[in-house]
Structure formats: C-alpha cells, structure tokens
Amino acid sequence: MSKADEVFIGSIDQGTSSTRFLIFNVKGQIVASHQCEYQNHYPKAGWVEKDPVEILDSVETAVVGACRRFNSLGYDAKQIRSVGITNQRETTVAFDIETGQPLTNAIIWNDVRTKDLVHKLIAEAGSASRFATINGLPITTYFSAVKMRWMLENVPEVQAARERGTLRFGTIDAWLLYKLTGSYVTDVTNASRTMLMDIKNFKWSNECLEFFGVKESELPEIRSSAEVYGSINEGRLAGIPIAGCLGDQQAAMVGQSCFEAGEAKNTYGTGCFMLFNTGSEPIFSKNGLLTTVGYKLGPNAEPKYALEGSIAVAGSAIQWLRDKIGLIFSASEIGFLSDSVEDNGGVYFVTAFSGLFAPYWRDDARGCIVGLTQYATRGHIARATLESVCYQTRAILDAMRKDSGTELRRLRVDGGMTNSEQAMQIQADILGIEVVRPEMRETTALGAALAAGLAVGVWESEAELRQVAQSNVSAFWSRISEEK
C-alpha cells in the first residue's frame, strides 16, 4: 500500500489542563500529535474556571501542530477519514445560540463554588440520592446541573439570554461540536454526567429538569457515541466528519477494550477514575459509587453501563507539590523521591483539595498532611502523595466488589501517573491484585478514535476494536503477602 492510500483517524483529547490532537493509523499507532497546555483560572478559593474560547483556540492550535507533523511525514489531512472527540466531563459552558459566544467562563468539573447551593438542593430534595434511580448520580458539586443552576442564579448575562430564548448549555463536547461543525449535540456518556438525563432511555428527564430549573430547549440533542455528528467547517480538517464522542473516562474504557461485564480500568490523570463494566443493565450503587453510561457505539448499538468511582485529586497533587510548594522540580521526580525511603515514615496525605469524591462524597473535607515528625523527609511526603491516590483507589475497588458481587482480579491502568513504576508498584501492593499497564498509554484518545473509525467503517466490530486496542503490557504484582 502506498502512503497516499493509507487511512487515518484523528482524535481531539480536550483535558483539564491541556488539549491534544493525535492522528492514529488503522493499527491504533500514533503517527503524529501535538499538545497545547494551558492554565485554568482560580479567582476565589474553590473556584476553577476557563474561557471557553481559549479552550476552542487550544484545539485549533493542537490540530495545526499535529497536521504540520503529519504533512512533514508525507501524508495529507484528506487521508484522515474521521475525527473523534474525548473531553473533560461535567465542565459546563453557557453560550448564546445567536452570537455563538460564551456568556461566562466555563465552570470546571472540580470547582466547588456550588457547595452552599448543593446543600440547599439536598434539603429541598430530601436526600442527595433523590434522583439516583433516574440519573445514577448523587446531588453534589461535581455534576453539570448544579453548575447550570448556579449560572442561572448568579450570572446576569445567562439570565438575559434565557429571557431572550437564546441561552444554551453544554459540556465541553457539545461546545466543541457546535463551534467546529454547527451541530448542537452531545453523546450519551457526557449527557449521563449532567444529572439531567434518564440513563435508561437516554432522554432528558422532565423530573430532573424541573428540579434543577433547566429547560430542555437549552440543552443539546443526545446522540450515540459513534455516529457522524457533522463535518468540520474550516481549517486544516475542513470537510472531515466528527464521528466519535465520549467523555474522557468512558473513552479510556473503550481504549482499554473493557467491552465485557466485569472488566475494569483506572485512569490516573488530574483526578483518578475507575470504571467497571456492568453490562447492558445499570447497577445502582449502595456504596457511594456512580452509575453511568459506559458507551453506546452506534445509534442502534446496545448500550453498556458502568459503576464509577471518582477521585478528585491525583496527578494534580503532584502538580501542587511542584508548582505551589516547590518540593519537586518535575513530575517525574516524585517516583525517585518515593523510592529513596522504605515506607511513608508515618506520613499520610489526604489530598482533599476539592473535597472527597467516591465513595465518601464529603464536599467539606479539605487537604491535610498528618504524621509529620522531624524524621520526615521530602521522600516520605512524596511517597505519601502516591499512596494517597492508591489508598483511595482501594476504597473504590472495595465498594465495587460489594455492589457488583464480583471479585476483580485485574485492573487495567492508564494516564500520566502510570508512567511511574513506583506508583504502579505501590498500587499493586495496596490492592493485592494484578495491575496491567499497556505499552500505548494514550488510551483516552485512542478510545475516541476507535469510536470515530467504527462509525465510518474503518473498523467493523467490537472484536476488531479489541484487536487494535490490545498491545504489549507491563504487569505489576503485589509484593505484600496476604498475612502481612
């Protein structure tokens, strides 16, 4: 096959602190990529926000950079058959449908400005889990509906747009799809994170809409995770269809080929997110977990559900040590520092910068480092930071065992922290099960690419997707005996 005959799939990976565009070949290998990092804004304690236009600009920068590299290898952008989007979930944008411009900054998923509003809503509802059998989620600061409600109550521009009938809300995928293609749509995985979708029929729930004060006309159309949503209007990718869309954690689930009930993955990024495939029927948690849509790979495809455990702070704790405290100079240094000590020296770090998510759901919790003595060193604090994520992962795994009645024997992992051999060995030690890390770590971007390729016929079935997604792996086993 000549270079001109090769086929490729693009993937927009829009994350909390950066945007990347990656171009994959049909074997699931990265041919070209470009990353555009950016800073979120923290105007008040607990507030995290970002200008949606800057997010869109970061996508365009990443696309241009990757396409330049792609062209330098002798390829043409026309060889990209389709593009997938994967995105930070729950982050909420409000914009005007007439002007196409945002009405305020996007509220990022880990923002906690809505804490008082959440307590008020829980009192009105009678329970944080009032709507969990509809949307699978508790009422908490994490999800989009309370961010929409806060905007409606506190942002005059949002209130004025509602009066004009031009207000539109969306998660990041809906914002990007609208700006890139003109289609005002979202997919089932992102919609399942708003607290507004009935996860059994994939429609906006009238009961939830009424309670949170959001109108259905202000929300995008819900579509599957693998279909053509529209073609890109302009730029390097003009005319190429966007045909895959999944929230970042569900995309990693696809990228890790967790297609069967009982398979699970854990992504260690800014936060940490474990998803456990429960099959074609949702399991509603009794142990503090979330019930979410795993994926729906086509308009007529059978949906798959998942139990999810979310940890608010993972890689961002390492960034905090580097950028705010100056304990380390680079993220990679933390593994070597943690290896400089035999154990944590009695030091424990509760990384509750944005409260505690699953399975505790305590928005009043705050971060603390305890057990400090004069014996403690930088190495002990570094190890305690890695252990904090691993212990929280253990709490989620224990909850999943209780809810599913299944004993998980293997955990597939991906994300930035998995580059640390030390972190993954600590994780295996704390879990007591096999931890499997793929050679190709970009599973989130790959998952979106697989969905986009499936939609346009590059791949024909989940079996083919599994073959593409599987690669060489590294396995970590617990060094701690059951007795110990």
Side-chain angles (χ1 to χ4, degrees):
M1 180 187 292
S2 68
K3 270 195 168 184
D5 293 327
E6 292 183 58
V7 171
F8 302 90
I9 302 293
S11 182
I12 296 169
D13 184 355
Q14 205 299 298
T16 309
S17 57
S18 72
T19 299
R20 294 178 300 162
F21 184 65
L22 303 91
I23 301 171
F24 293 89
N25 63 21
V26 294
K27 295 179 181 179
Q29 298 166 328
I30 299 171
V31 178
S33 67
H34 187 80
Q35 181 173 14
C36 178
E37 293 189 356
Y38 61 77
Q39 296 292 321
N40 291 312
H41 307 305
Y42 306 90
K44 297 181 182 180
W47 290 37
V48 191
E49 58 186 46
K50 183 67 177 174
D51 183 347
V53 173
E54 291 180 13
I55 292 175
L56 179 64
D57 288 345
S58 73
V59 172
E60 293 174 351
T61 300
V63 167
V64 168
C67 285
R68 280 178 180 161
R69 172 62 178 160
F70 192 57
N71 294 153
S72 74
L73 296 172
Y75 298 111
D76 190 287
K78 293 178 181 177
Q79 293 174 257
I80 300 173
R81 288 284 303 278
S82 63
V83 171
I85 290 179
T86 181
N87 57 284
Q88 53 174 311
R89 305 170 304 169
E90 299 93 22
T91 295
T92 305
V93 177
F95 66 96
D96 190 298
I97 196 70
E98 283 190 352
T99 66
Q101 295 302 306
L103 297 162
T104 185
N105 279 347
I107 300 180
I108 306 300
W109 59 271
N110 55 354
D111 180 288
V112 293
R113 75 184 68 185
T114 57
K115 185 176 72 171
D116 291 341
L117 173 61
V118 164
H119 292 167
K120 174 187 169 186
L121 291 172
I122 291 173
E124 287 179 17
S127 167
S129 59
R130 159 83 181 274
F131 302 103
T133 56
I134 298 173
N135 60 31
L137 309 172
I139 301 172
T140 178
T141 59
Y142 186 15
F143 305 110
S144 306
V146 293
K147 304 180 196 303
M148 296 176 192
R149 175 72 173 263
W150 187 91
M151 290 179 182
L152 285 164
E153 292 184 356
N154 294 278
V155 182
E157 293 82 357
V158 172
Q159 296 165 351
R162 166 167 278 189
E163 289 178 10
R164 293 192 301 269
T166 59
L167 172 62
R168 298 294 184 271
F169 288 115
T171 42
I172 292 297
D173 61 303
W175 166 245
L176 294 180
L177 280 164
Y178 176 69
K179 297 301 287 186
L180 294 174
T181 72
S183 298
Y184 182 44
V185 297
T186 187
D187 95 296
V188 292
T189 66
N190 281 291
S192 74
R193 312 298 294 184
T194 61
M195 287 198 291
L196 298 174
M197 187 186 82
D198 186 323
I199 62 171
K200 294 184 287 294
N201 64 20
F202 309 114
K203 296 179 180 178
W204 299 119
S205 161
N206 289 330
E207 188 176 351
C208 294
L209 291 171
E210 183 178 353
F211 180 80
F212 289 104
V214 179
K215 298 178 181 179
E216 186 171 353
S217 60
E218 297 167 345
L219 296 172
E221 178 187 352
I222 301 171
R223 307 272 283 273
S224 78
S225 307
E227 60 179 277
V228 174
Y229 311 106
S231 295
I232 296 173
N233 293 325
E234 58 186 10
R236 297 274 185 137
L237 304 177
I240 296 172
I242 296 180
C245 181
L246 298 115
D248 53 8
Q249 303 313 317
Q250 285 92 336
M253 191 176 179
V254 172
Q256 287 270 30
S257 65
C258 293
F259 295 131
E260 300 297 328
E263 294 181 321
K265 71 88 201 174
N266 201 27
T267 298
Y268 302 76
T270 300
C272 188
F273 305 88
M274 187 187 297
L275 267 71
F276 179 94
N277 187 326
T278 62
S280 57
E281 293 294 330
I283 293 177
F284 294 99
S285 177
K286 297 179 180 177
N287 294 283
L289 300 178
L290 310 174
T291 302
T292 195
V293 179
Y295 55 84
K296 188 176 188 293
L297 296 178
N300 301 314
E302 182 180 59
K304 293 295 178 70
Y305 293 90
L307 284 171
E308 177 175 335
S310 306
I311 299 169
V313 175
S316 55
I318 298 172
Q319 288 178 318
W320 180 79
L321 291 182
R322 182 192 66 193
D323 300 338
K324 297 294 181 71
I325 303 302
L327 190 77
I328 55 177
F329 295 103
S330 67
S332 60
E333 188 182 348
I334 194 164
F336 299 109
L337 258 184
S338 69
D339 255 6
S340 70
V341 293
E342 291 185 1
D343 53 36
N344 63 18
V347 177
Y348 294 89
F349 187 2
V350 180
T351 57
F353 298 155
S354 301
L356 288 170
F357 285 7
Y360 311 105
W361 299 110
R362 291 288 301 268
D363 60 18
D364 58 341
R366 288 296 177 265
C368 61
I369 300 175
V370 298
L372 290 172
T373 65
Q374 287 182 313
Y375 171 70
T377 66
R378 292 167 67 227
H380 293 116
I381 295 174
R383 187 176 181 90
T385 303
L386 296 181
E387 287 185 354
S388 70
V389 179
C390 297
Y391 278 122
Q392 289 178 84
T393 298
R394 173 62 187 260
I396 288 170
L397 184 63
D398 289 344
M400 285 183 173
R401 285 170 173 154
K402 292 175 183 176
D403 278 332
S404 68
T406 301
E407 195 71 22
L408 191 66
R409 297 295 181 187
R410 178 184 297 112
L411 181 64
R412 302 176 189 189
V413 298
D414 56 75
M417 275 185 66
T418 64
N419 291 321
S420 168
E421 304 280 323
Q422 297 89 345
M424 292 302 96
Q425 187 56 60
I426 291 169
Q427 186 67 90
D429 290 341
I430 288 174
L431 293 181
I433 62 173
E434 182 186 12
V435 172
V436 177
R437 180 184 66 189
E439 182 181 306
M440 211 289 285
R441 314 285 170 78
E442 304 296 346
T443 54
T444 300
L446 177 61
L450 292 174
L454 183 68
V456 297
V458 172
W459 301 291
E460 299 290 342
S461 65
E462 283 187 11
E464 280 191 52
L465 300 188
R466 186 183 288 275
Q467 286 182 333
V468 174
Q470 286 178 339
S471 63
N472 295 329
V473 299
S474 301
F476 298 84
W477 300 87
S478 176
R479 300 170 301 187
I480 301 174
S481 67
E482 213 167 290
E483 269 184 29
K484 188 173 178 182

